[in-house]
mmCIF file of all heavy atoms in Angstrom:
data_model
loop_
_atom_site.group_PDB
_atom_site.id
_atom_site.type_symbol
_atom_site.label_atom_id
_atom_site.label_comp_id
_atom_site.label_asym_id
_atom_site.label_seq_id
_atom_site.Cartn_x
_atom_site.Cartn_y
_atom_site.Cartn_z
ATOM 1 N N LYS A 1 0.824 -1.102 -0.067
ATOM 2 C CA LYS A 1 -0.024 -0.019 -0.008
ATOM 3 C C LYS A 1 0.860 1.250 -0.003
ATOM 4 O O LYS A 1 1.470 1.594 1.074
ATOM 5 C CB LYS A 1 -0.881 -0.070 1.209
ATOM 6 C CG LYS A 1 -1.690 -1.318 1.370
ATOM 7 C CD LYS A 1 -3.076 -1.020 1.611
ATOM 8 C CE LYS A 1 -3.977 -2.209 1.896
ATOM 9 N NZ LYS A 1 -4.289 -2.877 0.784
ATOM 10 N N ARG A 2 1.098 1.821 -1.164
ATOM 11 C CA ARG A 2 1.976 2.917 -1.184
ATOM 12 C C ARG A 2 1.345 4.291 -1.453
ATOM 13 O O ARG A 2 2.001 5.272 -1.824
ATOM 14 C CB ARG A 2 3.142 2.737 -2.245
ATOM 15 C CG ARG A 2 2.812 2.968 -3.624
ATOM 16 C CD ARG A 2 4.081 2.821 -4.340
ATOM 17 N NE ARG A 2 3.926 3.279 -5.726
ATOM 18 C CZ ARG A 2 4.818 3.689 -6.577
ATOM 19 N NH1 ARG A 2 5.984 3.746 -6.200
ATOM 20 N NH2 ARG A 2 4.484 4.021 -7.817
ATOM 21 N N GLU A 3 0.022 4.295 -1.241
ATOM 22 C CA GLU A 3 -0.689 5.498 -1.482
ATOM 23 C C GLU A 3 -0.120 6.593 -0.432
ATOM 24 O O GLU A 3 -0.076 6.384 0.764
ATOM 25 C CB GLU A 3 -2.173 5.458 -1.183
ATOM 26 C CG GLU A 3 -2.852 4.611 -2.328
ATOM 27 C CD GLU A 3 -4.346 4.387 -1.963
ATOM 28 O OE1 GLU A 3 -4.944 5.121 -1.135
ATOM 29 O OE2 GLU A 3 -4.965 3.456 -2.592
ATOM 30 N N GLY A 4 0.397 7.633 -1.062
ATOM 31 C CA GLY A 4 0.996 8.653 -0.211
ATOM 32 C C GLY A 4 2.411 8.444 0.279
ATOM 33 O O GLY A 4 2.957 9.233 1.008
ATOM 34 N N VAL A 5 3.010 7.261 -0.087
ATOM 35 C CA VAL A 5 4.364 6.859 0.307
ATOM 36 C C VAL A 5 5.221 7.342 -0.832
ATOM 37 O O VAL A 5 5.069 6.973 -2.008
ATOM 38 C CB VAL A 5 4.549 5.386 0.607
ATOM 39 C CG1 VAL A 5 5.893 5.013 0.940
ATOM 40 C CG2 VAL A 5 3.613 4.962 1.786
ATOM 41 N N VAL A 6 6.135 8.045 -0.450
ATOM 42 C CA VAL A 6 7.239 8.528 -1.487
ATOM 43 C C VAL A 6 8.438 7.593 -1.474
ATOM 44 O O VAL A 6 8.914 7.371 -0.363
ATOM 45 C CB VAL A 6 7.707 10.062 -1.307
ATOM 46 C CG1 VAL A 6 8.776 10.460 -2.153
ATOM 47 C CG2 VAL A 6 6.517 10.932 -1.373
ATOM 48 N N VAL A 7 8.910 7.116 -2.633
ATOM 49 C CA VAL A 7 10.167 6.397 -2.629
ATOM 50 C C VAL A 7 11.304 7.285 -3.214
ATOM 51 O O VAL A 7 11.098 7.902 -4.367
ATOM 52 C CB VAL A 7 9.983 5.177 -3.523
ATOM 53 C CG1 VAL A 7 11.339 4.365 -3.703
ATOM 54 C CG2 VAL A 7 8.869 4.214 -3.021
ATOM 55 N N GLU A 8 12.380 7.380 -2.441
ATOM 56 C CA GLU A 8 13.537 8.178 -2.950
ATOM 57 C C GLU A 8 14.653 7.138 -3.301
ATOM 58 O O GLU A 8 14.903 6.339 -2.429
ATOM 59 C CB GLU A 8 13.918 9.136 -1.855
ATOM 60 C CG GLU A 8 13.086 10.252 -1.659
ATOM 61 C CD GLU A 8 13.575 11.192 -0.643
ATOM 62 O OE1 GLU A 8 14.819 11.609 -0.723
ATOM 63 O OE2 GLU A 8 12.822 11.615 0.328
ATOM 64 N N ALA A 9 15.250 7.367 -4.452
ATOM 65 C CA ALA A 9 16.389 6.500 -4.827
ATOM 66 C C ALA A 9 17.513 7.421 -4.830
ATOM 67 O O ALA A 9 17.721 8.394 -5.543
ATOM 68 C CB ALA A 9 16.162 5.981 -6.302
ATOM 69 N N ILE A 10 18.490 7.156 -3.878
ATOM 70 C CA ILE A 10 19.695 8.012 -3.683
ATOM 71 C C ILE A 10 20.990 7.296 -4.004
ATOM 72 O O ILE A 10 21.336 6.419 -3.303
ATOM 73 C CB ILE A 10 19.688 8.556 -2.204
ATOM 74 C CG1 ILE A 10 18.452 9.134 -1.866
ATOM 75 C CG2 ILE A 10 20.904 9.479 -1.993
ATOM 76 C CD1 ILE A 10 18.244 9.231 -0.276
ATOM 77 N N PRO A 11 21.631 7.640 -5.098
ATOM 78 C CA PRO A 11 22.864 6.984 -5.456
ATOM 79 C C PRO A 11 23.981 7.261 -4.296
ATOM 80 O O PRO A 11 24.015 8.341 -3.780
ATOM 81 C CB PRO A 11 23.344 7.615 -6.826
ATOM 82 C CG PRO A 11 22.068 8.254 -7.271
ATOM 83 C CD PRO A 11 21.281 8.584 -6.086
ATOM 84 N N GLY A 12 24.766 6.299 -4.026
ATOM 85 C CA GLY A 12 25.794 6.502 -2.943
ATOM 86 C C GLY A 12 26.828 5.404 -2.994
ATOM 87 O O GLY A 12 26.889 4.616 -3.833
ATOM 88 N N ASP A 13 27.527 5.254 -1.828
ATOM 89 C CA ASP A 13 28.450 4.293 -1.685
ATOM 90 C C ASP A 13 28.121 3.135 -0.839
ATOM 91 O O ASP A 13 28.955 2.226 -0.583
ATOM 92 C CB ASP A 13 29.828 4.850 -1.105
ATOM 93 C CG ASP A 13 30.447 5.980 -2.120
ATOM 94 O OD1 ASP A 13 30.296 5.826 -3.327
ATOM 95 O OD2 ASP A 13 31.070 6.879 -1.617
ATOM 96 N N GLU A 14 26.976 3.123 -0.295
ATOM 97 C CA GLU A 14 26.427 2.142 0.526
ATOM 98 C C GLU A 14 25.062 1.624 0.269
ATOM 99 O O GLU A 14 24.499 2.325 -0.725
ATOM 100 C CB GLU A 14 26.546 2.579 1.979
ATOM 101 C CG GLU A 14 25.501 3.770 2.235
ATOM 102 C CD GLU A 14 25.475 4.215 3.714
ATOM 103 O OE1 GLU A 14 26.385 3.878 4.415
ATOM 104 O OE2 GLU A 14 24.592 4.923 3.995
ATOM 105 N N ILE A 15 24.541 0.733 0.988
ATOM 106 C CA ILE A 15 23.141 0.307 0.779
ATOM 107 C C ILE A 15 22.462 0.493 2.091
ATOM 108 O O ILE A 15 22.858 -0.063 3.089
ATOM 109 C CB ILE A 15 22.955 -1.197 0.349
ATOM 110 C CG1 ILE A 15 23.943 -1.482 -0.809
ATOM 111 C CG2 ILE A 15 21.524 -1.514 0.010
ATOM 112 C CD1 ILE A 15 24.181 -2.910 -1.030
ATOM 113 N N SER A 16 21.548 1.462 2.081
ATOM 114 C CA SER A 16 20.694 1.626 3.294
ATOM 115 C C SER A 16 19.322 1.992 3.042
ATOM 116 O O SER A 16 18.950 2.434 2.011
ATOM 117 C CB SER A 16 21.361 2.715 4.181
ATOM 118 O OG SER A 16 21.345 3.956 3.558
ATOM 119 N N ILE A 17 18.473 1.678 4.019
ATOM 120 C CA ILE A 17 16.930 1.984 4.012
ATOM 121 C C ILE A 17 16.637 2.982 5.188
ATOM 122 O O ILE A 17 17.025 2.623 6.301
ATOM 123 C CB ILE A 17 16.225 0.743 4.083
ATOM 124 C CG1 ILE A 17 16.562 -0.202 2.913
ATOM 125 C CG2 ILE A 17 14.746 0.974 3.969
ATOM 126 C CD1 ILE A 17 16.081 -1.641 3.211
ATOM 127 N N ASP A 18 15.858 3.973 4.857
ATOM 128 C CA ASP A 18 15.397 4.808 5.941
ATOM 129 C C ASP A 18 13.893 4.902 5.735
ATOM 130 O O ASP A 18 13.510 5.570 4.683
ATOM 131 C CB ASP A 18 16.007 6.202 5.905
ATOM 132 C CG ASP A 18 15.654 7.109 6.972
ATOM 133 O OD1 ASP A 18 14.748 6.695 7.815
ATOM 134 O OD2 ASP A 18 16.108 8.285 7.081
ATOM 135 N N LYS A 19 13.115 4.189 6.473
ATOM 136 C CA LYS A 19 11.584 4.112 6.185
ATOM 137 C C LYS A 19 10.890 4.762 7.298
ATOM 138 O O LYS A 19 11.093 4.586 8.526
ATOM 139 C CB LYS A 19 11.303 2.627 6.092
ATOM 140 C CG LYS A 19 9.815 2.529 5.829
ATOM 141 C CD LYS A 19 9.483 0.907 5.579
ATOM 142 C CE LYS A 19 7.921 0.762 5.306
ATOM 143 N NZ LYS A 19 7.700 -0.645 5.150
ATOM 144 N N THR A 20 9.912 5.646 6.888
ATOM 145 C CA THR A 20 8.905 6.189 7.848
ATOM 146 C C THR A 20 7.515 5.763 7.255
ATOM 147 O O THR A 20 7.413 5.116 6.288
ATOM 148 C CB THR A 20 9.028 7.746 7.832
ATOM 149 O OG1 THR A 20 8.652 8.269 6.612
ATOM 150 C CG2 THR A 20 10.433 8.162 8.165
ATOM 151 N N GLU A 21 6.428 6.242 7.935
ATOM 152 C CA GLU A 21 5.132 5.950 7.392
ATOM 153 C C GLU A 21 4.788 6.429 6.033
ATOM 154 O O GLU A 21 4.064 5.835 5.314
ATOM 155 C CB GLU A 21 4.061 6.488 8.424
ATOM 156 C CG GLU A 21 4.094 5.746 9.750
ATOM 157 C CD GLU A 21 3.782 4.399 9.815
ATOM 158 O OE1 GLU A 21 3.015 3.947 8.868
ATOM 159 O OE2 GLU A 21 4.281 3.581 10.660
ATOM 160 N N ARG A 22 5.431 7.593 5.682
ATOM 161 C CA ARG A 22 5.264 8.248 4.355
ATOM 162 C C ARG A 22 6.403 8.259 3.465
ATOM 163 O O ARG A 22 6.247 8.840 2.293
ATOM 164 C CB ARG A 22 4.765 9.688 4.577
ATOM 165 C CG ARG A 22 3.442 9.701 5.382
ATOM 166 C CD ARG A 22 2.305 9.692 4.324
ATOM 167 N NE ARG A 22 1.038 9.600 5.026
ATOM 168 C CZ ARG A 22 0.145 8.764 4.747
ATOM 169 N NH1 ARG A 22 0.396 7.784 3.785
ATOM 170 N NH2 ARG A 22 -1.057 8.715 5.290
ATOM 171 N N ARG A 23 7.592 7.655 3.807
ATOM 172 C CA ARG A 23 8.627 7.854 2.958
ATOM 173 C C ARG A 23 9.652 6.581 3.080
ATOM 174 O O ARG A 23 9.901 6.154 4.163
ATOM 175 C CB ARG A 23 9.424 9.122 3.299
ATOM 176 C CG ARG A 23 10.782 9.375 2.640
ATOM 177 C CD ARG A 23 11.360 10.735 3.148
ATOM 178 N NE ARG A 23 12.743 10.867 2.827
ATOM 179 C CZ ARG A 23 13.665 10.454 3.683
ATOM 180 N NH1 ARG A 23 13.467 9.916 4.825
ATOM 181 N NH2 ARG A 23 14.991 10.613 3.316
ATOM 182 N N ILE A 24 10.172 6.191 1.885
ATOM 183 C CA ILE A 24 11.219 5.133 1.936
ATOM 184 C C ILE A 24 12.324 5.756 1.130
ATOM 185 O O ILE A 24 12.130 6.077 -0.034
ATOM 186 C CB ILE A 24 10.726 3.841 1.244
ATOM 187 C CG1 ILE A 24 9.566 3.247 1.888
ATOM 188 C CG2 ILE A 24 11.864 2.866 1.079
ATOM 189 C CD1 ILE A 24 8.919 2.006 1.305
ATOM 190 N N ALA A 25 13.433 5.976 1.793
ATOM 191 C CA ALA A 25 14.611 6.502 1.170
ATOM 192 C C ALA A 25 15.629 5.331 1.099
ATOM 193 O O ALA A 25 16.031 4.781 2.103
ATOM 194 C CB ALA A 25 15.210 7.653 1.940
ATOM 195 N N ILE A 26 16.094 5.054 -0.125
ATOM 196 C CA ILE A 26 16.995 3.897 -0.414
ATOM 197 C C ILE A 26 18.219 4.457 -1.011
ATOM 198 O O ILE A 26 18.277 5.011 -1.938
ATOM 199 C CB ILE A 26 16.457 2.929 -1.296
ATOM 200 C CG1 ILE A 26 15.134 2.158 -0.642
ATOM 201 C CG2 ILE A 26 17.524 1.772 -1.569
ATOM 202 C CD1 ILE A 26 14.453 1.275 -1.612
ATOM 203 N N THR A 27 19.318 4.372 -0.223
ATOM 204 C CA THR A 27 20.722 4.727 -0.707
ATOM 205 C C THR A 27 21.302 3.469 -1.332
ATOM 206 O O THR A 27 21.221 2.369 -0.621
ATOM 207 C CB THR A 27 21.633 5.336 0.453
ATOM 208 O OG1 THR A 27 20.911 6.393 0.925
ATOM 209 C CG2 THR A 27 22.846 5.697 -0.138
#
């Protein structure tokens, strides 16, 4: 269920996930 959930794709030197109720940031 991703209604209202923003996915951010962030190029970087590592692999990490930062997840909140409304945002998934993936480095």
